[in-house]
Amino acid sequence: MCTKTLPYFLSGSVVKGFGRGSKALGIPTANLEDKIVDALPSDFKIGVYYGWASVDAKVYKMVASVGWNPFYKNEKKTVEVHLLQKFENDFYGKQIKVIFAGYIRSEQDFTSEEELINAINNDIAVAEKELQQPCISAYKDDKFLKE
């Protein structure tokens, strides 16, 4: 669904996260540096988003989690971007540009890693569908991602 509060554009360096995305969940994420997370507007809704991201001017579909990851009891807010593409190598230190184009759901806690993985896979399925909407797919060609 196209909204008036989105899209939201941000960019920053990819930093090492907790190492859970790839190792524990099999769903690697690019974690944004703290200063980018801290600069989010105070009314930026916590939860799971979909949209587009670029690394080295190549554009990919993405889902992103913004929040505290209650399953892992994080003490600081994070922005973790999962690119819907397999990569051979990580890209720590590289700039990532992200367009949050739509909102999937609020942050929630889970009773098991399996339940968390199922929810993330459902988020990915929702993103794949929503990113096909013309008003959303148009953002993949936004000059912001290609600069």
Side-chain angles (χ1 to χ4, degrees):
M1 170 180 287
C2 302
T3 70
K4 297 192 184 317
T5 57
L6 294 173
Y8 185 80
F9 297 68
L10 64 79
S11 66
S13 293
V14 176
V15 297
K16 274 193 174 283
F18 299 103
R20 298 183 292 236
S22 295
K23 294 178 184 80
L25 304 176
I27 304 167
T29 59
N31 295 281
L32 275 85
E33 56 194 323
D34 289 343
K35 72 179 184 179
I36 301 302
V37 178
D38 295 342
L40 288 171
S42 60
D43 63 347
F44 196 81
K45 197 171 183 179
I46 299 303
V48 179
Y49 291 82
Y50 61 86
W52 302 94
S54 68
V55 177
D56 293 332
K58 291 183 181 167
V59 179
Y60 307 96
K61 297 173 183 177
M62 70 87 186
V63 293
S65 169
V66 177
W68 287 271
N69 301 310
F71 180 74
Y72 292 109
K73 301 182 181 15
N74 287 8
E75 294 186 10
K76 68 177 185 173
K77 184 165 49 173
T78 60
V79 173
E80 300 180 47
V81 179
H82 172 64
L83 302 177
L84 305 186
Q85 172 79 32
K86 300 283 186 210
F87 293 90
E88 292 298 316
N89 300 306
D90 61 46
F91 34 90
Y92 296 124
K94 293 205 180 240
Q95 280 291 116
I96 187 170
K97 295 180 178 184
V98 181
I99 299 177
F100 291 91
Y103 186 77
I104 298 175
R105 64 175 173 84
S106 61
E107 182 175 65
Q108 56 192 102
D109 199 354
F110 299 95
T111 57
S112 68
E113 273 189 356
E114 181 181 1
E115 187 181 23
L116 172 59
I117 291 167
N118 288 339
I120 294 169
N121 286 327
N122 185 66
D123 297 336
I124 291 168
V126 169
E128 289 280 9
K129 181 179 177 219
E130 295 297 324
L131 289 166
Q132 294 177 38
Q133 289 189 68
C135 62
I136 301 296
S137 67
Y139 290 116
K140 74 180 171 207
D141 297 319
D142 193 283
K143 67 180 182 180
F144 170 77
L145 295 174
K146 299 178 181 193
E147 296 174 336

